[in-house]
Every structure is written in C-alpha cells, then in structure tokens.
Amino acid sequence: MIKLSICIPTYNRSKHLKNCLASIAANDSQYLNQVDICISDNGSTDDTEKVVQEAKQFLRIKYQKNETNLGIPRNFLKVVNMAEGEFAWLIGDDDLLFPYTIQRVLELIQSQSSVDYFYINSAHLTTEYVFAFPQPFNTKDLPENMQAFSPYNKPGVMPFLDLIDPKISFDFLGGMFLAVFRRELWLKNQHHLDRSAIEDKRTFSHFDNTFPHIKIFAHAFAKSKAYFEPTPLSICLTGAREWSPMYPLIHSVRLVEALELYRSRGLKLWAYLSCRNYALNNFISDMGAMYFYREKSGFKYINPLAEFAKNMFYPNTYLSLFYFLFRKLKSLLGFKI
C-alpha cells in the first residue's frame, strides 16, 4: 500500500505548479517510488495540463481535469478522494518541498505508527524571490535561515487538540499545507460538511467553504494523537494568494468560528477562551478594513453588530484598536520605539 499521497488542487497557476512539481521531483527516487502525486485541475484554461504531462516523465502522477470549476472546497475534497495513500498531504500548487522532505515524512509515518495527524512545519518565502531565478525554480537556490511558519520548536507526540494553541499554530490549523493526515479518517468524516455551503462558489461565504479541512480535522482527529515536527519540510510562498483582501474576514470571523468548532469537539474551556481572545487581536482594524474594502473583503457575509456582540466580553475586542494604533506609530517612527 502507498504510504503517502501528495494532493495538489490547482486552477490556472501553471507557473507555480511547475515549480511545485520540480521541487517534488528533486527528492530521491528511492522515496518518490513510495508516494503518489494527485492533481485535481479545476478547469484551468492555461497550460496546466502540459506542465503535468511533462512532469509525468519524472513523477507518478494521477491527474484529473474537471469539466467545470467545482469551487475551491469541492476541489480539495476531490483531490483527496483521488488518493490511494494511507496518509494524505494537501499542499498548495505554489508550495515547494525540500529535496529531503519525502524521506523525512515517510520516516515520521513509519516511526509514529499510533499517530493520525502530523503537523509539518513550513518556511516562508516570497514569490518575488522564486521568480527572480531561472524557471523552473531549483531548490538549491533557496536562501538560508528562512522564517518558520510556527516558532514552536519541541518535536513530539501530543493530543490533537493541544495543537490548538497560538504558540504552535497561530491560525489554528488553517494552513492546509501543514497537515499530513490519515486519509481513512478524513474520508469517514467528510459528511460533516454542509453540502450547500461547499457548493456555494462565492469565496469564503461560509465557514465550511473557507476551512473545509478544519471541519473535517475537528471531527476526524479530536481524540487522536498528533505529532509536531518543528523542522520546516515545505516552503509556503507569500504573495501568491489571490484572496488576500479577504484575510480580515478569515482572521477575525472564520478563525473564531473554527475555535467554536474545536470547543464543541473537546477543546478545554481555558484553552478556548485564551485562543479566542488571541484571535481577536486585530478585531477592530479587521472590521474597518472589511468595511473600507467591502467590495472585495467579504463584508457582505457578516453582520458587524452581531460579530461585536458575540465577542464583547473578550479584552482584545477593545485592545485591538490600541494594538493597531501602536503598530501604526511604530511604522511612522521607523520602529524606534
């Protein structure tokens, strides 16, 4: 049985996908032979199919192209359904792997047989850096000392819900590319998703079409063992997110909803209260940004007064204004305070 499936949903981002596949192909063939790569193309009109066909010379790829665009969440679900591995790793089409990544992930799966969910740390890099080099990008050109996505540095096994801690995951497992998970449990818990929500193609209009993976994770792994791997084994590119104007919606609304879900699945009360207060550290500035950029920000999906009412007892709801003003002051003074 294949141990690991690398699952890549994609749509009209062939130049990113080409780099992603090149980084996978740079791994040792001894380990590449133990994985399959699944690509679900959401109806691309660029040269994505050509990029995939070229990569098939070096990689075991299962490729399917949707006749019509299914929307982001349904494409996520489809690509995992295509997989055959005992574990699945959902990564973005712009993510990169190190040449030693697959070996290390397979070793973790082998050595931690009781674990159902692996948090695999990632490193930050800008798209400007990657595209300043000849294409496809060669991971030999990666800079040293890239910043890690999570600053937590203690490897080991823990209860899954202990990962819900801003010291470990500031977005509470929102980054799909950070998770290697037991595929069987994922498949058994897809039914928890609201079908009408994931069929709604409006970006981030519901919790379920913003974080379908969190909805499944919370149900599938709440009672599971997890493993935290602090060494970055992937590279997440910043500057390649078309949904950036909607980040305030994600940060101050959808992440709070994620915490409510985790609480319903067994997250301890104190951890929930602490995490929720943390999630509100940009609340007022996020609400302002959503209103100011309301044509693109997803403002129409929320009731601002209702959002304030349900968060009114958390200190950061109010302190977020002072945090915002302090950041602006620091910026104006050139970080001299």
Side-chain angles (χ1 to χ4, degrees):
M1 180 180 182
I2 294 171
K3 275 290 180 183
L4 177 66
S5 293
I6 299 174
C7 302
I8 309 172
T10 191
Y11 176 67
N12 276 350
R13 285 153 61 95
S14 61
K15 66 177 184 177
H16 294 291
L17 181 63
K18 191 170 187 176
N19 285 333
C20 176
L21 295 176
S23 75
I24 296 173
N27 281 254
D28 192 302
S29 60
Q30 172 186 351
Y31 303 103
L32 282 174
N33 290 334
Q34 301 178 51
V35 306
D36 64 354
I37 294 101
C38 302
I39 301 173
S40 183
D41 179 351
N42 218 359
S44 295
T45 55
D46 62 5
D47 61 344
T48 291
E49 190 166 357
K50 178 183 176 183
V51 167
V52 172
Q53 295 305 321
E54 291 173 351
K56 281 185 175 181
Q57 300 175 52
F58 313 103
L59 298 170
R60 179 194 295 156
I61 294 177
K62 183 184 294 184
Y63 172 75
Q64 292 183 13
K65 184 172 183 178
N66 303 326
E67 292 185 3
T68 59
N69 191 305
L70 302 178
I72 295 172
R74 290 172 67 197
N75 204 35
F76 280 13
L77 298 176
K78 179 179 177 180
V79 74
V80 178
N81 289 342
M82 289 168 56
E84 298 178 19
E86 182 179 355
F87 285 81
W89 190 4
L90 259 171
I91 66 172
D93 53 14
D94 58 333
D95 293 330
L96 305 173
L97 303 189
F98 293 98
Y100 50 79
T101 291
I102 294 176
Q103 176 184 357
R104 178 59 182 149
V105 172
L106 289 173
E107 288 172 349
L108 284 172
I109 291 171
Q110 183 67 30
S111 64
Q112 305 294 333
S113 59
S114 64
V115 168
D116 294 325
Y117 182 101
F118 294 86
Y119 184 111
I120 305 296
N121 211 353
S122 186
H124 289 287
L125 192 62
T126 65
T127 54
E128 290 80 9
Y129 182 92
V130 168
F131 288 104
F133 287 85
Q135 301 295 297
F137 180 75
N138 190 326
T139 49
K140 291 180 180 179
D141 294 319
L142 287 169
E144 296 181 0
N145 302 317
M146 289 181 288
Q147 181 183 2
F149 194 84
S150 172
Y152 195 71
N153 59 8
K154 297 178 182 178
V157 177
M158 63 181 71
F160 170 80
L161 288 173
D162 282 6
L163 292 171
I164 311 307
D165 180 339
K167 295 177 182 177
I168 298 176
S169 176
F170 71 86
D171 66 351
F172 311 118
L173 310 184
M176 68 171 187
F177 56 93
L178 300 164
V180 172
F181 53 88
R182 198 175 294 276
R183 192 172 61 90
E184 179 184 13
L185 293 177
W186 166 283
L187 296 177
K188 287 181 178 179
N189 286 277
Q190 289 186 23
H191 69 277
H192 291 288
L193 292 170
D194 184 302
R195 181 58 55 179
S196 63
I198 65 170
E199 289 179 354
D200 187 339
K201 294 184 181 180
R202 296 174 300 165
T203 304
F204 305 153
S205 57
H206 305 269
F207 176 78
D208 286 34
N209 70 4
T210 305
F211 288 132
H213 51 297
I214 286 184
K215 185 74 169 282
I216 296 174
F217 290 162
H219 286 279
F221 305 116
K223 300 184 185 302
S224 290
K225 291 180 181 179
Y227 185 94
F228 180 83
E229 173 53 52
T231 302
L233 296 179
S234 71
I235 301 103
C236 173
L237 298 192
T238 56
R241 298 288 184 265
E242 291 82 357
W243 45 261
S244 295
M246 303 188 78
Y247 185 76
L249 171 69
I250 296 171
H251 185 273
S252 288
V253 178
R254 298 294 181 239
L255 286 184
V256 170
E257 294 170 342
L259 290 167
E260 292 170 347
L261 173 61
Y262 289 130
R263 173 60 181 156
S264 74
R265 297 298 299 154
L267 182 65
K268 294 177 181 178
L269 178 60
W270 176 249
Y272 166 72
L273 295 174
S274 177
C275 288
R276 182 159 179 161
N277 188 56
Y278 174 87
L280 295 168
N281 60 5
N282 285 323
F283 181 78
I284 290 179
S285 58
D286 280 348
M287 290 295 120
M290 289 178 65
Y291 177 77
F292 191 76
Y293 299 105
R294 54 191 176 276
E295 296 301 319
K296 299 180 179 179
S297 69
F299 183 76
K300 60 187 175 183
Y301 303 139
I302 68 165
N303 180 330
L305 291 178
E307 294 300 325
F308 175 78
K310 73 179 186 179
N311 293 306
M312 64 187 298
F313 296 112
Y314 293 88
N316 275 352
T317 298
Y318 311 97
L319 292 174
S320 61
L321 175 61
F322 297 97
Y323 300 152
F324 171 74
L325 294 175
F326 184 67
R327 290 194 301 269
K328 288 296 184 183
L329 183 59
K330 284 175 65 177
S331 178
L332 288 172
L333 297 180
F335 299 91
K336 293 181 180 179
I337 60 174

